[in-house]
């Protein structure tokens, strides 16, 4: 069965530090991969997505993610975190064949220290 | 342009009552999705509409849950005989043609069953 794992429930970083949020998936083929951000009181917003091609994808707000097939991972990175990046981040996968499945991870809550 | 809207934003109901949650997608989007998000969890897929028909309703937890999209735009999620375990934020999203497109999320309806 398809699944998504975000192993870090909480992450705290200092403003200006680099960030990496981990995401691993389980699926028999290459899925569509997404990262969303959810700020308090806000709806989910798409940061970036991977369908095919270049395994390093650029998103909004200075985020990027790298698809590594061998590790079944799609980690989100940002070189320098801003206080406004404090939010909850969700990795999601969508199946590319058969019955539609769109599965979210449990999320990683990011805290940014001034 | 207008995003996805959901009404009501909050709904408190007594156990055993019937509730309807409404989603108004982005105009022109043929795909519509319902998710449920419990505290501390990622969104959980419920149902996906392609036009007026449910393309996948495998996420509906039981037969108390039902959703319609009679004209291919607005959708209503209906919950009969509500239970306390149904308390969650119900999210609606729409995308232009299908699951490979970016999903735009509404702000959600917070349902509390007392």
């Amino acid at each position: 069965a398809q699944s998504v794992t975000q192993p870090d429930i909480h992450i705290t970083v200092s403003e200006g530090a680099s960030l990496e949020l981990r995401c691993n998936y389980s699926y028999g083929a290459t899925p569509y991969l997404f990262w969303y951000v959810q700020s308090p009181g806000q709806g989910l917003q798409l940061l970036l997505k991977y369908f095919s091609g270049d395994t390093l994808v650029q998103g909004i707000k200075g985020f990027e993610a790298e698809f590594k097939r061998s590790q079944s991972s799609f980690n989100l990175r940002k070189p320098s975190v801003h206080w406004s990046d404090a939010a909850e981040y969700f990795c999601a996968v969508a199946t590319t064949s058969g019955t539609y499945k769109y599965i979210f991870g449990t999320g990683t809550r990011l805290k940014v220290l001034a | 342009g207008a995003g996805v809207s959901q009404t009501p934003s909050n709904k408190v109901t007594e156990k055993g009552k019937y509730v309807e949650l409404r989603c108004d997608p982005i105009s022109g989007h043929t795909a519509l999705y319902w998710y449920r998000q419990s505290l501390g969890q990622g969104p959980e897929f419920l149902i996906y509409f392609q036009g007026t028909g449910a393309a996948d309703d495998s996420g509906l937890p039981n037969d108390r849950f039902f959703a319609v999209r009679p004209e291919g735009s607005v959708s209503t999620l209906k919950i009969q005989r509500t239970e306390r375990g149904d308390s969650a934020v119900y999210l609606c999203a729409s995308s232009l043609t299908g699951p490979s497109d970016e999903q735009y999320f509404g702000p959600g309806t917070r349902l509390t069953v007392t």
Side-chain angles (χ1 to χ4, degrees):
Chain A
Q2 301 88 356
S3 65
V4 179
T5 302
Q6 292 182 248
D8 304 304
I9 298 174
H10 297 280
I11 282 187
T12 300
V13 299
S14 297
E15 190 169 21
S18 63
L19 172 70
E20 182 169 31
L21 303 183
R22 295 184 289 165
C23 173
N24 293 95
Y25 68 89
S26 172
Y27 181 55
T30 300
Y32 299 138
L33 295 158
F34 307 82
W35 275 100
Y36 287 85
V37 61
Q38 188 174 39
S39 300
Q42 304 289 319
L44 283 156
Q45 182 183 23
L46 181 69
L47 288 175
L48 46 78
K49 62 185 178 184
Y50 171 80
F51 287 171
S52 64
D54 192 347
T55 56
L56 184 64
V57 293
Q58 303 297 321
I60 62 171
K61 304 185 180 185
F63 286 92
E64 66 177 28
E66 185 172 12
F67 169 58
K68 293 186 177 180
R69 186 191 310 273
S70 62
Q71 298 177 18
S72 297
S73 69
F74 189 56
N75 294 348
L76 182 71
R77 301 194 295 247
K78 186 169 185 178
S80 178
V81 169
H82 188 263
W83 64 266
S84 62
D85 293 325
E88 185 129 29
Y89 292 80
F90 293 95
C91 179
V93 303
T95 55
T96 54
S97 63
T99 305
Y100 165 76
K101 293 293 180 193
Y102 202 98
I103 304 167
F104 281 82
T106 51
T108 297
R109 183 168 295 279
L110 174 65
K111 182 177 179 179
V112 180
L113 301 177
Chain B
V4 178
S5 62
Q6 293 186 245
T7 53
S9 56
N10 280 283
K11 177 70 177 179
V12 181
T13 191
E14 293 179 350
K15 178 177 178 297
K17 299 290 189 181
Y18 168 83
V19 296
E20 290 189 350
L21 310 180
R22 175 188 168 107
C23 172
D24 207 331
I26 292 173
S27 178
H29 281 194
T30 62
L32 184 146
Y33 316 80
W34 282 100
Y35 297 86
R36 178 169 68 175
Q37 187 174 21
S38 301
L39 196 62
Q41 299 294 316
E44 173 193 9
F45 167 74
L46 296 177
I47 186 169
Y48 152 49
F49 284 92
Q50 186 59 254
T52 61
D56 185 347
D57 64 358
S58 62
L60 294 177
N62 52 59
D63 61 6
R64 295 186 298 105
F65 288 74
F66 189 70
V68 296
R69 195 186 185 198
E71 298 177 356
S73 55
V74 171
S75 176
T76 305
L77 178 66
K78 308 180 181 193
I79 310 174
Q80 299 177 319
R81 304 183 304 280
T82 52
E83 300 178 356
R84 293 194 180 87
D86 299 335
S87 296
V89 175
Y90 289 81
L91 298 170
C92 176
S94 70
S95 68
L96 187 60
T97 60
S100 62
D101 299 321
E102 175 179 353
Q103 294 188 23
Y104 294 84
F105 282 80
T109 294
R110 181 176 298 278
L111 175 66
T112 304
V113 182
T114 61

